[in-house]
């Protein structure tokens, strides 16, 4: 997508929708503009104030009534690249400037057009995006393309953050541990709010999934839950408690075990609740992950994490071509532990013989 000339778009005290790290949009007002770093400071309804990149700010149409493309700022509108106005926000886009390109069918009378930003703003939800209905279908189709060049992003060594702050289908900001899933093929991170295949809300830092994004799967996303070992389950629970309550230590019987039981169906779907006394043994065995309160002159019933990180997830390697479905996965054999590689069953049996 062409980078818009944003300097003429934003004004102090202008009300905007700002996309946050969770993929959702929040109403705010511009209080400062930093053109050099292509960002503006936005004050939100809870009186908080944050710097937001231009790319993550959505505005409405201007008051002057001029029809220009908000991407290239050009007012020319000639076939086969006419300017089309979004029926929701009123902004104009050249057919070729929009991502994905706008088809000629949209130019017909009474055909509604929603721009990419508005489609995402109306479909993303906490716990997972809309799954059914015409809007959800449009959303799914739009997810086949990404509003950035995936191969030009500058990643850190662990492939968790990129300098450009482009994540997900929406191209918005994100935090890999904050309810995001990593695609097993492209390794990009995707917001819970933008994913349509979820049956249950995600836990913070929970990467125990086989997930293939719509862009890589050339269609609907694919997701499959991986089993967690008890030590990983314990660490995941404590990590979520530290995110939600911002404390280091938690009482095993009064806080940790109740959280585990209350969220069991999200943590271990389809499995029966196991005896929680196993919890204590895990904590004592894996002292490299957990610390007990008496180490810091606190109660022995208090436990916390040595490092405030989620459990390490296994790497998943899938076939590089073809759509991933339950039927396809049923014909694959998993080998490996830390790196789970899925290969055709016939190939796996042959390689062992």
């Amino acid at each position: 997508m062409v980078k818009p000339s944003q300097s003429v778009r934003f004004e102090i005290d202008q009300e905007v929708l700002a996309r946050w790290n969770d993929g959702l949009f929040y109403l705010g007002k511009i209080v400062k503009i930093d053109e050099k770093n292509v960002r503006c400071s936005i004050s939100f309804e809870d009186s908080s104030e944050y710097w937001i990149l231009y790319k993550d700010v959505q505005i409405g149409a201007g008051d002057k009534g001029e029809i220009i493309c908000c991407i290239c700022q050009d007012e020319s509108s000639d076939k086969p690249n006419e300017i089309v106005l979004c029926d929701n926000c009123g902004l104009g886009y050249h057919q070729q400037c929009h991502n994905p390109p706008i088809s000629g069918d949209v130019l017909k009378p009474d055909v509604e057009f929603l721009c990419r930003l508005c489609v995402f703003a109306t479909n993303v939800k906490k716990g997972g995006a809309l799954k059914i209905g015409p809007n959800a279908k449009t959303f799914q189709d739009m997810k086949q393309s990404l509003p950035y060049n995936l191969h030009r992003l500058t990643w850190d060594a662990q492939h968790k953050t990129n300098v450009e702050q482009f994540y997900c289908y929406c191209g918005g900001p994100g935090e890999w541990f904050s309810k995001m899933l990593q695609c097993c093929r492209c390794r990009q991170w995707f917001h819970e709010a933008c994913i349509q295949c979820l049956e249950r809300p995600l836990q913070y830092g929970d990467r125990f999934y086989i997930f293939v994004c719509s862009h890589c799967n050339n269609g609907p996303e694919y997701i499959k839950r991986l089993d967690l070992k008890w030590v990983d389950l314990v660490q995941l629970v404590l990590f979520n408690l530290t995110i939600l309550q911002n404390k280091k230590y938690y009482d095993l019987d009064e806080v940790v075990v109740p959280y585990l039981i209350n969220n069991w169906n999200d943590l271990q779907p389809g499995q029966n609740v196991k005896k929680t006394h196993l919890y204590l043994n895990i904590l004592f065995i894996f002292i490299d992950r957990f610390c007990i309160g008496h180490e810091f002159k606190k109660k022995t019933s208090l436990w916390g994490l040595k490092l405030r990180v989620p459990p390490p997830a296994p790497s998943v390697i899938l076939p590089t071509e073809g759509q991933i479905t339950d039927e396809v996965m049923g014909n694959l054999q998993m080998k490996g532990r830390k790196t789970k590689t899925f290969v055709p069953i016939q190939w796996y049996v042959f390689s062992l013989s």
Side-chain angles (χ1 to χ4, degrees), residues 53-262:
L53 292 175
Y54 285 170
K55 71 181 182 66
D56 300 316
V57 180
Q58 183 185 23
I59 66 174
D63 298 328
K64 297 180 181 180
E66 72 276 14
I67 299 178
I68 63 172
C69 175
C70 67
I71 301 297
C72 68
Q73 299 295 310
D74 188 3
E75 61 183 10
S76 62
S77 181
D78 302 311
K79 294 181 179 180
N81 192 28
E82 299 184 46
I83 294 177
V84 182
L85 299 180
C86 174
D87 289 312
N88 185 60
C89 67
L91 291 175
Y93 294 84
H94 279 119
Q95 289 175 260
Q96 297 303 316
C97 287
H98 188 267
N99 187 316
I102 303 168
S103 69
D105 293 338
V106 174
L107 300 176
K108 297 177 181 178
D110 301 325
V111 176
E112 183 182 52
F113 166 69
L114 294 182
C115 69
R116 187 182 185 96
L117 277 174
C118 287
V119 168
F120 274 81
T122 55
N123 283 273
V124 296
K125 305 288 182 184
K126 288 184 177 179
L130 294 181
K131 298 179 178 63
I132 59 175
N135 288 340
K137 176 62 169 58
T138 301
F139 185 49
Q140 170 66 65
D141 293 341
M142 217 161 258
K143 287 159 61 174
Q144 303 302 303
S145 62
L146 300 176
Y148 51 89
N149 189 325
L150 184 63
H151 304 292
R152 292 184 178 179
L153 300 180
T154 308
W155 292 91
D156 66 346
Q158 296 181 320
H159 210 91
K160 292 179 177 177
T161 62
N162 64 68
V163 174
E164 296 80 6
Q165 297 186 46
F166 280 120
Y167 301 95
C168 195
Y169 310 106
C170 63
E175 295 174 323
W176 64 271
F177 59 85
S178 186
K179 299 194 174 183
M180 299 186 78
L181 287 182
Q182 187 177 34
C183 175
C184 295
R185 280 181 166 170
C186 68
R187 300 186 69 197
Q188 175 60 289
W189 294 89
F190 295 83
H191 300 115
E192 172 196 67
C194 298
I195 297 174
Q196 291 176 290
C197 62
L198 294 175
E199 296 298 329
R200 298 175 178 84
L202 296 178
Q203 297 284 314
Y204 290 102
D206 189 351
R207 295 171 287 163
F208 291 84
Y209 289 92
I210 298 173
F211 173 71
V212 184
C213 71
S214 288
H215 184 250
C216 290
N217 218 26
N218 296 314
E221 302 145 335
Y222 178 79
I223 193 169
K224 181 180 177 64
R225 182 64 157 152
L226 293 172
D227 290 334
L228 281 80
K229 298 178 181 178
W230 262 96
V231 60
D232 294 325
L233 184 61
V234 173
Q235 186 171 349
L236 186 62
V237 168
L238 284 171
F239 179 74
N240 274 263
L241 286 170
T242 61
I243 294 292
L244 296 170
Q245 300 186 23
N246 197 30
K247 295 192 299 184
K248 185 172 183 179
Y249 295 99
Y250 299 90
D251 189 277
L252 185 67
D253 294 323
E254 295 180 6
V255 179
V256 180
V257 172
Y259 183 94
L260 173 66
I261 294 174
N262 292 336

Side-chain angles (χ1 to χ4, degrees), residues 291-302:
C291 53
I292 190 171
H294 77 75
E295 296 178 10
F296 300 93
K297 298 182 179 180
K298 296 180 181 293
K299 294 191 300 183
T300 56
S301 62
L302 296 179

